[in-house]
Structures are given as structure tokens and as C-alpha cells.
Amino acid sequence: MKIICIGRNYADHVRELDHTREVPAAPQFFMKPDTALLRNNDPFYIPSFSRDLHYETELVVRINRVVKCIDERFAHRCYDEVGLGIDFTARDLQRECIAKGLPWEIAKAFDHSAAVSPEFVPLAALGGDIQDLHFEMALSGRTVQRGHTADMLFGVDRLIAHVSQFITLKIGDLLFTGTPVGVGPVAPGDRIVASLAGRTLLDFDIR
Ligand code: MG
């Protein structure tokens, strides 16, 4: 399986990273390998190579069929469950890579950089509209991110249509759909608790 992550999909988050940056004209994505998975609410260990390790809380869509070059109108047929994830990011390394015009992998694709909720919830149980889901994350008891999927710059079906033009999506692939405003650093001793439509799906410690 593979993990596809969308960058800059909420306008307020784009501006918090760089006031001068414009919102993208088309979806932007990058990938993490399967070794990036962090499952079962296992603790996240901050890697020694970063001094500015950030959380990004994201809606995660699990792909349930093989699709290539799917039209946006039909993209809803290739998922029926959603969960939550944390796209852990070595922000210091990412800034260095961007400044040098280099790829981002060391900042985004390292081991355990993709925390994924143990449970995925049938979309039908959440009202059926993937563009009307609320989620939030509390860091050590303080709510730091609140997202509403209606605020995505590119909706999930558009994302799937776009990515599948270039890369075949397969059963079990995970699509991280971008983070809303409020990203920030984690420190040892922190605890991440994130909920989707009022259901707690992520609850794990930072060490
Ligand atoms: Mg992200």
C-alpha cells in the first residue's frame, strides 16, 4: 500500500506557513512509504534529526478499489470509509529543502511519520457527505486544530481524480487530504487526541 498526502488544501493553513504563498491552482501531492505508518495509537517518538517536529491533523480516506484516471464524477465509488491521521512533518528540514529547491522526503516520509486511526468509520454513518465533516485535535488537552472538510480548496473527489491521472490507486491506499490551520510543534510528554464528528479516533502519546 501507499500513502498519498495532499499539501496546501486549506487556504488558512497555506497562509500560516507563508504569507506570500498563493493557494495552488491544482492539487499538490507527495507520498509516504508504508514504513511511515504508525498504527494502533502507538506512541510517536520524536526523531533525533529534527528540532521542529510538527503535527498536521488530516481526514484520511481509504481507497477500496483499483482506479486509474477516474473521472471526478465517479471518484466517490472508490471509498466508503474515513479516518483521521497525523502527517508528522520535520518542519525545519522541510524549510531547508524548500529553500534549496530539493525534494521533501526526509521531512515528510520518515518512519512513523503517518499516524493513522485504528478505526475507519463508514461514511454513511457520518451522514454520507464527505465535504461536510468536522474534525478537531487537542494537544495535551488544548484544542489546536479544528477542520471542516467544506473548507478544502479541492474536494476529495477532485483529489482522487487528479492523483489517479498520474498514479494508480489500489485497495488499501490511504489519502491524507491536507491539514487546516493551527499546525505546530510537538514535544515529549504531549498527548494527541483527535476526533471526527465527535468520535475520538486518535489518542496517543508523544515521546
Ligand atoms: Mg499535511
Side-chain angles (χ1 to χ4, degrees), residues 156-178:
V156 171
D157 292 349
R158 172 82 190 278
L159 299 175
I160 289 171
H162 180 77
V163 172
S164 77
Q165 286 181 61
F166 304 97
I167 294 172
T168 300
L169 297 176
K170 298 169 80 172
I171 296 166
D173 287 352
L174 298 175
L175 177 68
F176 278 59
T177 58

Side-chain angles (χ1 to χ4, degrees), residues 17 19 26 35 68-69 85 89 98 121 123 143-144 151 155-156 173 195:
L17 286 186
H19 288 281
T35 42
K68 169 76 178 165
C69 292
T89 303
I98 290 172
V121 183
L123 189 55
T143 300
V144 290
D151 297 329
V156 171
D173 287 352
S195 61

Side-chain angles (χ1 to χ4, degrees), residues 10 12-14 16-17 54-59 84-89 91 108 133-148 151 176-186 191-197 202:
Y10 289 82
D12 289 348
H13 168 64
V14 175
E16 82 176 331
L17 286 186
H54 277 205
Y55 59 81
E56 296 186 358
T57 311
E58 311 198 5
L59 182 82
L84 289 177
I86 307 291
D87 167 18
F88 282 112
T89 303
R91 194 70 72 201
K108 284 284 197 179
L133 298 176
H134 292 269
F135 59 98
E136 59 179 62
M137 193 275 272
L139 185 67
S140 299
R142 188 171 67 93
T143 300
V144 290
Q145 288 193 286
R146 282 194 182 86
H148 183 203
D151 297 329
F176 278 59
T177 58
T179 194
V181 71
V183 302
V186 291
R191 180 178 171 198
I192 283 183
V193 178
S195 61
L196 172 63
L202 289 172

